[in-house]
Amino acid sequence: MSSCGLWNESLAIAEDYIGLCLTADPSEAPLPPSEAAATMRRMGRHAESLYEATFQNLVQTFVRGCWPDLCSGLRRVMQEMVSDGFLNWGRVVSVFAFTGVLARRLLEDNEEEETTTTTTKLRLDLSDWPQICRKLAETIADFLIEEKKEWMLENNGWEGFCKWCSSSSSRQSSQDAYLKTALLAAAGVGLAGLTFLLAR
């Protein structure tokens, strides 16, 4: 697959996952655009359910440290997560899950009179909300293709992701181990000093 095709597929999966996270009733969400998008829905929500508190803490720290430049902050978080030179599908799932939680938290906070994540109101213009979500999705796609294209191709792109996420019971413990490792790495950055990292 060409770089352009892989970027478009990555964007579609990211937009679909963020859209799912913003849907009040996931059962009413539109059908996923591809098998990979459906798989990301399953794996991302699974990661959220396993590590909800970790994601909420990371999002709170993230918003405090990078508001209002969300996309640049998200890019730095992804770069930090692979600063050891290692990437796996568990870390990719973690990025999608984190971004979905972030988008949902921003929308919820904006609908409240006072935000729960910062001491000042976020003041999002909801007329721009689709564009905000699009930019977050583009940030993920840009990172995967501009900085990790070689890894994506070596791992057979999103087809490889679907194979890794095989639902057989023999793979489930391995998937959870990858997710746990990825999220612990993210938590180590986020909870110990993500605010400092994003403010640099």
Side-chain angles (χ1 to χ4, degrees), residues 61-62 65-66 72-81 83 185-186 188-200:
T61 305
F62 176 87
C66 77
S72 293
L74 179 59
R75 182 91 176 213
R76 290 198 294 273
V77 167
M78 291 187 287
Q79 290 170 336
E80 186 68 20
M81 283 188 66
S83 62
V189 173
L191 302 182
L194 187 57
T195 300
F196 172 76
L197 169 69
L198 295 171
R200 288 190 299 183

Side-chain angles (χ1 to χ4, degrees), residues 2-74:
S2 67
S3 296
C4 182
L6 192 56
W7 185 88
N8 286 333
E9 186 175 9
S10 300
L11 176 64
I13 294 169
E15 286 190 304
D16 178 74
Y17 188 78
I18 292 171
L20 176 71
C21 291
L22 298 176
T23 302
D25 183 354
S27 66
E28 297 180 356
L31 292 175
S34 65
E35 179 186 357
T39 304
M40 182 58 75
R41 286 186 180 191
R42 177 171 59 85
M43 293 301 298
R45 297 313 290 265
H46 178 59
E48 285 189 48
S49 68
L50 287 176
Y51 305 105
E52 181 178 2
T54 296
F55 278 121
Q56 293 295 339
N57 286 330
L58 285 169
V59 164
Q60 181 174 340
T61 305
F62 176 87
V63 173
R64 286 174 175 168
C66 77
W67 178 261
D69 194 356
L70 300 175
C71 293
S72 293
L74 179 59

Side-chain angles (χ1 to χ4, degrees), residues 46 50-51 171-181:
H46 178 59
L50 287 176
Y51 305 105
R171 292 284 292 172
Q172 190 61 52
S173 60
S174 176
Q175 290 171 5
D176 287 350
Y178 273 119
L179 289 171
K180 183 176 181 180
T181 299

